[in-house]
Amino acid sequence: TVPGGAIVERDVPIEFSAGGTINLALSQPDFTTANRIAQAVNAGFGPIALAKDPGTVTVAIPPEFAGNAVAFVAALEELPVTPDTSARVVINERTGTVVMGANVTISEVAVAQGGLSVKISKERDVSQPPPFSGGTTVAGEKRSVEVEEKPANLVVLPATANIGDLVNALNAVGATPRDIISILQAMKAAGALHAELQLI
């Protein structure tokens, strides 16, 4: 990377293919994706590809493309490959946004959600003595404490639950996006959420 750009005064000699092979570098290294790429190339051109590591697939240029490596790479680009996607839940705590992929699964788990409300109030109180008793008027405070707990809803999700079941269950208990964030973090800590939890 050249900050501010640059002027190319002459070409830098590079070798597109070394020893009749091409190395494909994955932008997101993954064992499954690298293996799928090698299988797709071998199915289309014969046994010429090998996944060396999660980020590199080595492909030998077939004899019919020996003098035209660019055409071979163009043919490789036409091969359909489904990349392996990891189960991930992305959470934005600032905005309360939760985005979950379709391949997120959960184990059997019970989810409870309820609210506890505590209200403390105080009022001015005056104590007036009886007539001719010789007492004095005293000002004081009268405090009251009220505790209200909303009934907690308990939902049991089976081990076969998918992301749709999870969302429906969390909506059923009346969870807000911030409640869902707390519930997902607790489920991850309990080992019931089989996905990578990413906070942004």
Side-chain angles (χ1 to χ4, degrees), residues 5-104:
I7 298 175
V8 178
E9 296 184 350
R10 65 183 180 190
D11 293 338
V12 178
I14 59 171
E15 191 172 357
F16 185 71
S17 60
T21 61
I22 296 174
N23 289 325
L24 304 178
L26 279 68
S27 59
Q28 295 180 350
D30 182 82
F31 284 103
T32 303
T33 302
N35 187 52
R36 288 177 182 174
I37 292 174
Q39 289 178 347
V41 173
N42 291 336
F45 298 95
I48 59 173
L50 175 65
K52 295 178 60 177
D53 54 56
T56 308
V57 178
T58 300
V59 182
I61 300 177
E64 58 268 26
F65 291 98
N68 195 353
V70 173
F72 176 59
V73 173
L76 289 179
E77 290 181 340
E78 298 296 325
L79 295 176
V81 177
T82 303
D84 183 42
T85 56
S86 59
R88 184 175 301 173
V89 179
V90 181
I91 296 174
N92 189 328
E93 289 187 306
R94 184 176 58 84
T95 61
T97 303
V98 180
V99 179
M100 295 175 268
N103 52 350
V104 176

Side-chain angles (χ1 to χ4, degrees), residues 162-183:
N162 56 23
I163 193 62
D165 298 330
L166 176 61
V167 171
N168 291 335
L170 293 179
N171 287 332
V173 298
T176 65
R178 297 196 182 278
D179 292 333
I180 293 176
I181 291 173
S182 300
I183 290 171

